[in-house]
Amino acid sequence: GGLSPELMSLEQIRYLPRPVDIPDSGLLCDLLWSDPSPDVFAWGENDRGVSFTFGSDVVRNFLKKHDLDLIARAHQVVEDGYEFFAGRQLVTVFSAPNYCREF
């Protein structure tokens, strides 16, 4: 998961209902399914069929706005177990050994 164009404040995460079924769109869907993309400026379509892709500019702006140094995310296959994005300002961690018997 990743970022959302609907995420204006980190407080929004605190107030998400739990437990909940994941909707097909909106903040919760984006937090679970959005992905970084080096080919996108701002927001783009996601090959997953839900949510968005986001560019390094979105990462930089989000970190600056919220006074953070790094975004750590998961829920996306990356071959070496981890992958940096946006000048090492975002890291994707993948820790599912034998996922689909491929990794």
Side-chain angles (χ1 to χ4, degrees):
L3 300 174
S4 173
E6 294 185 20
L7 185 60
M8 300 299 142
S9 165
L10 295 177
E11 288 294 308
Q12 289 173 266
I13 297 170
R14 178 174 289 145
Y15 295 110
L16 288 170
R18 294 171 181 93
V20 65
D21 292 329
I22 306 301
D24 293 332
S25 63
L27 177 60
L28 186 56
C29 176
D30 297 340
L31 292 176
L32 181 63
W33 293 113
S34 68
D35 297 312
S37 174
D39 302 322
V40 170
F41 180 80
W43 301 96
E45 291 185 25
N46 195 323
D47 291 340
R48 293 181 190 262
V50 295
S51 191
F52 302 94
T53 57
F54 53 90
S56 59
D57 58 313
V58 172
V59 172
R60 280 192 302 276
N61 293 338
F62 181 86
L63 291 173
K64 183 176 181 178
K65 177 179 179 178
H66 298 287
D67 194 28
L68 298 171
D69 297 320
L70 176 73
I71 297 168
R73 63 182 292 274
H75 215 257
Q76 182 181 13
V77 174
V78 289
E79 288 191 32
D80 295 326
Y82 68 95
E83 183 175 284
F84 286 102
F85 179 73
R88 299 175 70 96
Q89 293 179 311
L90 179 145
V91 63
T92 298
V93 178
F94 177 68
S95 60
N98 299 317
Y99 178 74
C100 296
R101 298 188 176 154
E102 292 185 29
F103 300 94

